[in-house]
């Protein structure tokens, strides 16, 4: 699917929604705003009923697309962990490392939340854990150990973090499991 940057007015975006385009937004607020504006437009045009526009925040679009692909895939796809489940795995990995090093962390739950956020940034920016800079600081080296263990556990258990969705979805259209909409518009990304 070719990607091109085409400036659109809000009116053109609403027209595209009416024509069946899927719009993935940079945040939930923009998705709600576009959906509400689309509804107002339909009412102004005298419509009594209309199809709900396909406008979703990026994260929701990724989850929905992955769920559809998982239902069509011949091979099982990794199960996507909820935020709470993911934090539990991070906490277990941190506790295991803590026991191995015989060092106590005061707030494992808070550290697990921060590790989850760091993993999300790492995946969004497509950073490589093999980068030597992860060893330059004690905290970065600890995160690298935890992240490698987190990833290995996920692979063994058939689980993945929500932050892994773009990488998991990327090869699916070639396998026939992932079906992208004919027109996908990204709105609110800079």
């Amino acid at each position: 699917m070719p990607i091109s940057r085409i400036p659109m007015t809000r009116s053109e975006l609403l027209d595209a929604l009416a024509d069946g385009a899927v719009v993935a937004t940079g945040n939930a607020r923009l998705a709600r705003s576009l959906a509400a504006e689309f509804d107002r437009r339909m009412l102004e045009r005298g419509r009594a009923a209309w199809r709900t526009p396909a406008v979703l925040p990026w994260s929701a679009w990724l989850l929905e697309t992955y769920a559809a692909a998982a239902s069509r895939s011949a091979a099982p796809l990794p199960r996507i962990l909820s935020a709470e489940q993911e934090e539990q795995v991070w906490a277990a990995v941190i506790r295991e490392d803590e026991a191995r090093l015989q060092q106590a962390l005061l707030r494992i739950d808070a550290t697990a939340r921060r590790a989850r956020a760091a993993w999300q940034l790492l995946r969004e920016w497509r950073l490589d854990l093999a980068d030597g800079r992860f060893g330059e600081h004690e905290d970065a080296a600890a995160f690298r150990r935890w992240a490698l263990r987190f990833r290995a556990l996920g692979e063994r258990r058939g689980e993945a973090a929500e932050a892994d969705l773009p990488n998991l979805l990327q090869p699916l259209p070639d396998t026939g499991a992932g079906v992208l909409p004919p027109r996908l518009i990204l709105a609110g990304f800079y």
Side-chain angles (χ1 to χ4, degrees):
M1 170 187 247
I3 297 175
S4 52
R5 185 170 188 202
I6 302 169
M8 296 180 91
T9 65
R10 193 128 169 146
S11 181
E12 290 170 330
L13 187 59
L14 294 171
D15 289 342
L17 276 170
D19 291 339
V22 175
V23 176
T25 64
N27 59 57
R29 185 171 37 114
L30 179 57
R32 286 189 305 272
S33 172
L34 285 171
E37 191 170 343
F38 182 85
D39 290 345
R40 280 191 301 278
R41 184 185 238 206
M42 293 295 108
L43 287 171
E44 289 169 0
R45 292 184 175 178
R47 301 279 303 271
W50 55 89
R51 182 173 295 180
T52 301
V55 57
L56 300 160
W58 176 249
S59 59
W61 181 79
L62 287 172
L63 283 167
E64 186 177 284
T65 303
Y66 187 77
S71 70
R72 285 190 291 278
S73 178
L77 297 179
R79 181 174 64 88
I80 303 302
L81 299 171
S82 70
E84 295 79 14
Q85 291 168 326
E86 189 179 335
E87 285 177 14
Q88 289 174 1
V89 175
W90 281 108
V93 165
I94 293 165
R95 278 188 196 95
E96 179 183 290
D97 192 51
E98 178 184 63
R100 185 181 64 78
L101 295 175
Q102 298 178 348
Q103 293 177 340
L105 284 173
L106 296 176
R107 300 182 53 199
I108 289 181
D109 291 340
T111 305
R113 279 191 298 280
R114 286 187 181 93
R116 178 179 180 269
W119 180 254
Q120 188 169 359
L121 284 172
L122 180 106
R123 302 305 279 168
E124 286 173 3
W125 286 91
R126 296 180 177 265
L127 300 177
D128 187 355
L129 287 169
D131 188 318
R133 289 176 285 188
F134 277 103
E136 291 177 2
H137 187 275
E138 182 182 343
D139 291 344
F143 173 73
R144 181 181 183 278
R145 282 192 315 273
W146 301 340
L148 290 170
R149 180 72 177 133
F150 176 82
R151 187 171 59 194
L153 277 173
E155 288 171 1
R156 192 177 84 229
R157 296 176 178 173
E159 299 170 341
E162 191 175 317
D164 296 317
L165 281 171
N167 291 334
L168 293 170
L169 283 168
Q170 187 177 2
L172 294 181
D174 295 335
T175 68
V179 178
L180 296 175
R183 187 168 184 203
L184 173 64
I185 299 171
L186 304 178
F189 294 88
Y190 300 100

